[in-house]
């Protein structure tokens, strides 16, 4: 018998640390190689840490809620043989205590803690799930597929809150938040103290980094979207009947932004110390809300998609957010953020830039307003578009041209200029 270390893995290209949110095992548990041992939160998404060995958990070194760096010790596991033998002979530990039979029928009945938790939370009968793992074993992906396919009777609880933060690129110098000395805030009698989780702490750090490092500037324009409203209202019922998901206004706004970024790629950039990186792909980060939670998944290559294609991805990502099945890939690669603040009734707001991007656009509520046309008042559908920009990368001239182009696209939408299919 030998004792091996299980360290914090690197869960993404730019991820340097993770917070242990939940241990899925306890000392004395026997686990197989690749079984999940803990759920870890990063600044992007929740992830499971798989075991590197088959064996018996000995000691959980990292505590729940503790943030540790990549490569730092998480726990110890007792295994048979050396690491090389373990990799070459995964069945070596079969004689250990409490190990089930390796027969296919037995493997199918062995459930990892996360599979059992997801099944219980979503009232899923595991006997009805077809496992795709070794020997027919049911994996987390099998359960998530069942949930995504609508077999769940209720939504997954405790989704991970996600703010608009994207760390796909780092500046040349490591950022250190300024040290601010202030009096410790104390709770008064009757106040409720809510512990700051690792994820919330990461979100706070990223927001401080964005506001401290990026010199924000703001711009707002008013757009007449009367034609868009009429066009969408004429098509939405037929679209819903044919496609099975909604034709949202947001799809048209994303389409317009992608076209404008194609013409003004300066806004599809990020600051990188001694250089500015101008992105080739137009990948739009979008804010997707579910109850009190917020996620920021990414729609890739929006400039290559039709209105239907964009609407479909919005629907798919929203469904994933509701079922807590967003993946690391869903959350990465954003080059520009569009936030649908109008869905909450907002009419004017200033977004915090999604680091390391150089701008974020807030799409506000569409409201009826009196507008003078040909010296006469007319009721028109109007919307405010609010842009936050990184003044290191961008200035008012280029951003003004970008916003004017978005405005022109939206004000001239029709079935001829903007076909849905």
């Amino acid at each position: 018998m030998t004792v091996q270390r299980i360290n914090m893995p690197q869960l993404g290209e730019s991820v340097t640390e993770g917070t242990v949110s939940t241990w899925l095992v306890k000392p004395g548990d026997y686990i197989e190689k690749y079984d999940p041992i803990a759920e870890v939160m990063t600044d992007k998404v929740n992830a499971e840490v798989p075991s590197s060995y088959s064996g018996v958990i000995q000691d959980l070194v990292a505590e729940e809620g503790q943030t540790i760096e990549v490569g730092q010790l998480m726990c110890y596991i007792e295994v048979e043989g050396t690491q090389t033998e373990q990799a070459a002979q995964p069945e070596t530990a079969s004689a250990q205590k409490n190990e089930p039979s390796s027969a296919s029928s037995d493997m199918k009945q062995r459930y990892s803690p996360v599979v059992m938790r997801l099944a219980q939370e979503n009232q899923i009968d595991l006997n009805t799930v077809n496992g795709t793992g070794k020997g027919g074993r049911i994996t987390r992906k099998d359960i998530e597929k069942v949930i995504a396919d609508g077999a769940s009777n209720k939504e997954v609880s405790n989704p991970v809150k996600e703010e608009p933060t994207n760390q796909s690129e780092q500046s040349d110098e490591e950022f250190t938040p300024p040290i601010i000395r202030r009096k410790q805030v104390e709770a008064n009698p009757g106040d409720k103290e809510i512990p700051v989780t690792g994820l919330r702490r990461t979100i706070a750090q990223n927001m401080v980094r964005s506001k401290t490092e990026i010199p924000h500037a703001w711009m707002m324009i008013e757009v007449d979207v009367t034609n868009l409203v009429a066009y969408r209202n004429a098509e939405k019922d037929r679209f819903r009947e044919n496609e099975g998901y909604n034709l949202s206004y947001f799809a048209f706004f994303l389409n317009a932004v992608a076209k404008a970024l194609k013409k003004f790629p300066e806004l599809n950039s990020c600051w990188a110390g001694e250089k500015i990186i101008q992105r080739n792909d137009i990948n739009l980060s979008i804010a997707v809300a579910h109850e009190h939670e917020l996620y920021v998944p990414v729609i890739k290559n929006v400039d290559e998609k039709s209105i239907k294609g964009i609407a479909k991805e919005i629907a798919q990502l929203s469904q994933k957010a509701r079922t807590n099945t967003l993946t690391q890939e869903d959350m990465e690669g954003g080059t520009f953020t569009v936030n649908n603040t109008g869905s909450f009734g907002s009419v004017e707001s200033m977004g915090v830039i999604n680091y390391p991007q150089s701008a974020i656009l807030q799409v506000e509520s569409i409201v009826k307003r009196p507008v003078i046309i040909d010296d006469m008042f007319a009721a028109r559908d109007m919307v405010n578009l609010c842009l936050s920009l990184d003044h290191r990368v961008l200035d008012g001239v280029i951003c003004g041209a970008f916003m004017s182009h978005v405005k022109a696209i939206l004000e001239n939408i029709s079935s001829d200029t903007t076909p849905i299919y």
Side-chain angles (χ1 to χ4, degrees):
M1 292 286 188
T2 60
V3 175
Q4 299 284 357
R5 296 163 55 101
I6 297 181
N7 300 326
M8 174 67 72
Q10 185 158 9
L11 300 171
E13 183 178 351
S14 62
V15 176
T16 60
E17 63 182 15
T19 300
V20 179
S21 57
T22 306
W23 279 107
L24 304 176
V25 296
K26 61 183 182 299
D29 284 354
Y30 175 82
I31 58 172
E32 288 189 348
K33 188 176 182 180
Y34 305 126
D35 276 355
I37 61 171
E39 288 188 348
V40 172
M41 293 183 294
T42 70
D43 63 321
K44 298 180 185 299
V45 73
N46 232 16
E48 289 182 345
V49 174
S51 174
S52 307
Y53 312 92
S54 296
V56 178
I57 296 294
Q58 294 298 304
D59 184 26
L60 304 180
V61 178
E63 299 179 353
E64 290 187 354
Q66 181 179 351
T67 300
I68 60 177
E69 296 180 355
V70 170
Q72 192 171 341
L73 178 65
M74 293 182 66
C75 67
Y76 290 104
I77 182 172
E78 186 179 57
V79 303
E80 282 191 352
T82 65
Q83 180 175 357
T84 303
E85 291 171 347
Q86 185 96 58
Q89 300 177 348
E91 302 299 331
T92 300
S94 61
Q96 283 193 27
K97 184 179 179 181
N98 295 331
E99 168 142 18
S101 167
S102 61
S104 296
S105 59
D106 290 340
M107 287 294 292
K108 181 174 175 59
Q109 297 300 320
R110 293 191 67 244
Y111 308 125
S112 70
V114 71
V115 166
M116 295 179 68
R117 176 175 61 81
L118 287 174
Q120 184 178 19
E121 290 175 351
N122 292 273
Q123 300 178 9
I124 295 173
D125 183 357
L126 291 173
N127 292 321
T128 65
V129 179
N130 293 323
T132 60
K134 181 180 178 181
R137 190 177 185 190
I138 298 172
T139 66
R140 173 175 181 159
K141 289 185 178 180
D142 296 328
I143 297 295
E144 290 175 343
K145 184 177 185 301
V146 172
I147 296 171
D149 289 343
S152 168
N153 291 326
K154 68 174 184 178
E155 295 171 351
V156 176
S157 61
N158 300 326
V160 180
K161 181 174 288 187
E162 188 73 27
E163 295 284 347
T165 56
N166 187 324
Q167 294 187 354
S168 58
E169 288 293 333
Q170 300 289 335
S171 61
D172 288 351
E173 297 182 359
E174 196 65 29
F175 173 77
T176 303
I179 299 176
I180 301 175
R181 304 294 182 184
R182 56 169 60 92
K183 182 180 178 181
Q184 180 68 35
V185 178
E186 300 292 341
N188 296 321
D191 292 348
K192 181 180 180 181
E193 295 187 350
I194 303 173
V196 177
T197 64
L199 178 61
R200 173 48 60 185
R201 185 178 295 109
T202 299
I203 292 170
Q205 291 170 350
N206 288 334
M207 292 297 100
V208 170
R209 178 175 191 178
S210 179
K211 287 292 292 182
T212 305
E213 181 176 331
I214 298 177
H216 282 59
W218 294 271
M219 179 180 296
M220 185 183 78
I221 61 170
E222 188 177 58
V223 182
D224 186 337
V225 289
T226 304
N227 292 341
L228 167 57
V229 171
Y231 180 31
R232 183 255 182 183
N233 287 343
E235 299 290 340
K236 64 178 183 178
D237 292 339
R238 181 165 55 251
F239 184 90
R240 172 73 183 181
E241 182 179 349
N242 292 337
E243 306 301 335
Y245 49 88
N246 291 330
L247 178 62
S248 64
Y249 288 118
F250 198 43
F252 291 93
F253 285 107
L254 295 182
N255 175 266
V257 168
K259 290 177 179 177
L261 289 174
K262 199 76 173 176
K263 185 171 182 178
F264 299 98
E266 295 86 350
L267 281 86
N268 202 45
S269 305
C270 65
W271 180 266
E274 298 301 318
K275 59 188 175 184
I276 294 172
I277 300 175
Q278 192 172 104
R279 300 298 186 187
N280 179 61
D281 295 335
I282 297 177
N283 302 334
L284 298 185
S285 304
I286 63 171
V288 178
H290 171 54
E291 295 181 350
H292 300 295
E293 312 301 333
L294 184 67
Y295 305 82
V296 191
V298 178
I299 301 179
K300 309 291 199 303
N301 302 310
V302 180
D303 56 313
E304 301 174 4
K305 292 179 168 64
S306 64
I307 297 294
K308 176 202 168 184
I310 298 172
K312 182 176 182 179
E313 291 219 27
I314 294 173
Q316 290 175 338
L317 292 172
S318 298
Q319 173 65 15
K320 283 188 173 185
R322 286 192 292 269
T323 57
N324 196 27
T325 54
L326 287 167
T327 65
Q328 187 88 7
E329 185 178 0
D330 292 328
M331 310 295 288
E332 292 182 332
T335 62
F336 186 97
T337 297
V338 184
N339 194 2
N340 191 17
T341 45
S343 62
F344 306 108
S346 171
V347 294
E348 184 177 343
S349 60
M350 296 185 295
V352 177
I353 294 172
N354 189 353
Y355 187 91
Q357 298 171 16
S358 62
I360 179 173
L361 184 70
Q362 313 280 96
V363 179
E364 307 295 351
S365 295
I366 298 175
V367 297
K368 287 281 187 184
R369 296 179 191 165
V371 177
I372 297 178
I373 299 178
D374 297 330
D375 296 328
M376 298 180 64
F377 281 103
R380 307 291 289 180
D381 293 295
M382 307 298 293
V383 65
N384 291 330
L385 301 182
C386 305
L387 182 74
S388 301
L389 59 109
D390 184 342
H391 228 322
R392 298 172 303 177
V393 180
L394 303 167
D395 55 37
V397 174
I398 192 67
C399 290
F402 168 81
M403 295 287 272
S404 294
H405 193 59
V406 173
K407 175 184 174 78
I409 293 171
L410 292 171
E411 290 189 339
N412 290 281
I413 279 182
S414 68
S415 58
D416 294 328
T417 62
T418 314
I420 294 173
Y421 296 95

